[in-house]
Amino acid sequence: MQTTIIIPCYNESARLDKNAFQVYLDNHSDINFLFVNDGSKDGTLAMLQDFAQSHDRINYLDVQPNGGKAEAVRRGMIYAAENFQTDYIGFWDADLATPLYEIPRFVAIAEQKDFEIVTGLRLMRLGAGVRRKKKRHYLGRCFATAASVMLDLPVYDTQCGAKLYRSEVVKPLFSEKFVTRWLFDVELLARYIVNFGKKRATANIYEHPVFAWEDVAGSRLKFHDFFKAPLEMLRIKRKYLRKKYIKP
């Protein structure tokens, strides 16, 4: 089984841990990385071009101008679906807040249970190294509860930056541009419901409790961005969640 992981990059030339990716590839022959340069203003593009020459399973896509993480992920997912022979396509944050060693766990769960989507769940619990700032944790819980109510799905964590999709569902979910900038993860769930129905969503989407996750310094998600969520959720509801669009 082959897996392609999209890594969206914006001004990452100073903090991208290239060695971590290279070491990981040397030990996992079934993984490919596609780094997407999201109109960076520093030396990210040149770095990715050079990086791609160092390993045959490192690729890059240059997206201009800067369109934000949602668009970078969307473009990368569609590019991978159209250009690579791959069974699964996912996306991972460039800062590796979710460690790369979680990738095989996502794939194994998808294979064993035939899930179409496996999404990271940042559940703080005994024995796990999930560390979140208190303000972000509690704001995230409030937001996740609101998203769950709106979607009418028992989803616990929509915003973890580690997700894996069976390649067959990528084009139906990612072909169209997102109407939101920050909540595209929620929008993807709404699109799944519209395309495949709630019953299938409940059965074929799995939240995987990651063993480790940590807020990494330099995150571009700011505290005030949480207050944009209500308007973006309203956009999602208006576009996708009217009764006439929802399949059972």
Side-chain angles (χ1 to χ4, degrees):
M1 305 296 284
Q2 292 294 311
T3 301
T4 301
I5 300 296
I6 311 303
I7 309 292
C9 299
Y10 178 70
N11 293 348
E12 296 286 353
S13 62
R15 72 170 188 164
L16 188 73
D17 188 352
K18 293 188 293 182
N19 184 63
F21 289 99
Q22 189 119 27
V23 169
Y24 186 83
L25 286 177
D26 290 342
N27 292 282
H28 296 83
S29 60
D30 57 342
I31 303 294
N32 298 276
F33 288 111
L34 174 63
F35 293 85
V36 180
N37 176 51
D38 181 25
S40 298
K41 296 178 173 61
D42 62 354
T44 296
L45 177 58
M47 176 194 67
L48 294 179
Q49 290 171 331
D50 182 65
F51 196 23
Q53 294 181 2
S54 70
H55 204 293
D56 61 358
R57 285 183 287 119
I58 293 175
N59 302 275
Y60 77 92
L61 175 66
D62 184 29
V63 174
Q64 298 289 344
N66 170 257
K69 179 183 177 182
E71 181 63 6
V73 167
R74 190 190 72 83
R75 294 277 292 274
M77 295 289 286
I78 291 297
Y79 184 89
E82 293 178 344
N83 292 278
F84 301 145
Q85 294 293 322
T86 188
D87 301 285
Y88 297 99
I89 308 173
F91 55 90
W92 227 253
D93 285 340
D95 60 13
L96 300 184
T98 305
L100 293 174
Y101 63 69
E102 290 282 1
I103 296 174
R105 297 176 181 177
F106 278 53
V107 175
I109 290 168
E111 288 184 353
Q112 291 167 9
K113 301 295 185 180
D114 204 28
F115 290 122
E116 291 180 324
I117 302 175
V118 178
T119 178
L121 169 59
R122 299 165 295 179
L123 181 63
M124 292 192 293
R125 61 201 189 277
L126 294 173
V130 177
R131 298 179 178 87
R132 303 186 66 184
K133 295 175 181 177
K134 286 186 177 181
K135 284 184 179 180
R136 288 188 175 225
H137 170 70
Y138 291 120
L139 282 171
R141 292 306 317 128
C142 292
F143 166 76
T145 300
S148 177
V149 170
M150 182 184 74
L151 295 167
D152 193 23
L153 286 178
V155 58
Y156 185 89
D157 182 6
T158 61
Q159 302 308 108
C160 182
K163 292 181 171 66
L164 185 75
Y165 297 77
R166 191 176 293 277
S167 59
E168 290 84 356
V169 302
V170 168
K171 283 192 175 181
L173 298 182
F174 288 88
S175 291
E176 184 182 350
K177 283 191 173 183
F178 295 111
V179 298
T180 59
R181 184 178 178 91
W182 303 107
L183 302 188
F184 73 98
D185 308 81
V186 178
E187 190 170 346
L188 284 166
L189 292 173
R191 287 182 178 186
Y192 190 98
I193 291 170
V194 170
N195 279 278
F196 305 114
K198 285 185 182 178
K199 185 176 180 180
R200 185 165 161 180
T202 303
N204 290 342
I205 300 175
Y206 177 71
E207 290 188 282
H208 167 59
V210 295
F211 183 74
W213 191 93
E214 188 168 0
D215 280 311
V216 177
S219 171
R220 293 177 179 87
L221 182 65
K222 305 303 180 185
F223 184 77
H224 59 76
D225 291 328
F226 285 99
F227 297 98
K228 300 175 183 177
L231 179 59
E232 297 219 326
M233 289 180 70
L234 181 61
R235 288 174 181 156
I236 293 170
K237 185 173 183 178
R238 285 177 172 174
K239 182 171 177 62
Y240 302 102
L241 300 178
R242 298 178 185 178
K243 288 186 178 180
K244 64 178 181 179
Y245 296 139
I246 298 176
K247 298 179 181 180

